Amino acid sequence: MQMLNPHIQHVPLEKAYRLLTHGPTVLVSSKDHKETDVMAAAWACALEFDPAKVTVVLDKSTKTRQLIENSGYFALQIPTLKQLELVYKLGTTSKMTEPNKLEICQVELFQFENSDLPVVADCSAWLLCELIPEPHIQQAHDLFIGKVIAAYADNRVFSQGRWHFEDADEEWRTIHHVAGGHFYSIGKAVSVEEANLEL
């Protein structure tokens, strides 16, 4: 486990939703008393401001889902363009059939202070979550709800409550899965005022 880098800063919980509102592909991590796993997920979003809540869809066939159900905790992290290959590997390799998945994918994990949740190094943001158990919704719809208990972001790309991709190197752009290993990275920033000036 690595130590925190100096660019990682707390994000106030009332601003945590902003880490997800642009629809990035996420990495989901969890552990129970025996195992740790990380998987990629495309269907994650903010649910509520106060208390901060998120949702993520997790298929029944995944080990990460089992670990979340066992432990009651998970982390969402926002990977970047420089991690595209890692994200793809984590999304196409199952710990159910590859017990050494994390070693095969060369995942580097660490933990934030006062948390034993494993999180992936070099992401742009992390949301640590406590599962809000909804057994019917989880079983019927594969939908998991989490209360955000802590949030962090790398200030090279997220600060003062907002993303600033336009000021960061391209490798920091978030990625957005379409299908079959095809992704987009986030585009340029535009505002309503600028758009109106161009019309």
Side-chain angles (χ1 to χ4, degrees), residues 52-90:
K53 294 179 186 172
V54 296
T55 64
V56 62
V57 174
L58 304 169
D59 190 83
K60 293 174 182 67
S61 67
T62 63
K63 175 62 74 172
T64 305
R65 173 178 171 147
Q66 289 182 3
L67 301 181
I68 293 169
E69 290 174 325
N70 290 346
S71 69
Y73 291 90
F74 64 95
L76 300 182
Q77 38 257 289
I78 315 301
T80 64
L81 185 57
K82 63 187 171 188
Q83 296 172 298
L84 181 62
E85 186 177 347
L86 173 65
V87 172
Y88 183 71
K89 285 180 181 176
L90 288 170

Side-chain angles (χ1 to χ4, degrees), residues 57-60 65 69 134-144:
V57 174
L58 304 169
D59 190 83
K60 293 174 182 67
R65 173 178 171 147
E69 290 174 325
E134 292 286 356
H136 170 72
I137 293 174
Q138 291 164 203
Q139 186 62 30
H141 306 290
D142 296 334
L143 183 71
F144 285 69

Side-chain angles (χ1 to χ4, degrees), residues 189-199:
V190 294
S191 68
V192 173
E193 293 81 3
E194 291 169 349
N196 285 337
L197 287 174
E198 293 173 4
L199 293 177

Side-chain angles (χ1 to χ4, degrees), residues 14-166:
E14 64 272 15
K15 298 281 198 275
Y17 73 95
R18 294 185 180 180
L19 299 174
L20 290 173
T21 54
H22 63 300
T25 295
V26 300
L27 295 175
V28 186
S29 59
S30 188
K31 73 171 212 172
D32 64 10
H33 61 286
K34 293 192 299 187
E35 297 183 272
T36 297
D37 196 21
V38 182
M39 64 175 280
W43 296 352
C45 71
L47 177 63
E48 195 169 339
F49 297 114
D50 186 20
K53 294 179 186 172
V54 296
T55 64
V56 62
V57 174
L58 304 169
D59 190 83
K60 293 174 182 67
S61 67
T62 63
K63 175 62 74 172
T64 305
R65 173 178 171 147
Q66 289 182 3
L67 301 181
I68 293 169
E69 290 174 325
N70 290 346
S71 69
Y73 291 90
F74 64 95
L76 300 182
Q77 38 257 289
I78 315 301
T80 64
L81 185 57
K82 63 187 171 188
Q83 296 172 298
L84 181 62
E85 186 177 347
L86 173 65
V87 172
Y88 183 71
K89 285 180 181 176
L90 288 170
T92 56
T93 307
S94 172
K95 190 160 180 148
M96 296 291 210
T97 55
E98 292 286 358
N100 297 324
K101 171 185 175 179
L102 299 184
E103 291 79 14
I104 291 168
C105 296
Q106 298 181 312
V107 180
E108 184 180 350
L109 298 172
F110 72 99
Q111 296 168 330
F112 287 103
E113 189 176 358
N114 301 320
S115 171
D116 66 352
L117 268 171
V119 293
V120 179
D122 297 325
C123 290
S124 58
W126 303 261
L127 299 100
L128 310 186
C129 304
E130 180 179 357
L131 178 66
I132 298 174
E134 292 286 356
H136 170 72
I137 293 174
Q138 291 164 203
Q139 186 62 30
H141 306 290
D142 296 334
L143 183 71
F144 285 69
I145 301 172
K147 176 184 175 183
V148 182
I149 54 178
Y152 304 88
D154 192 299
N155 64 12
R156 288 172 285 189
V157 71
F158 186 96
S159 61
Q160 299 176 331
R162 62 175 282 274
W163 292 102
H164 47 93
F165 298 108
E166 65 276 12

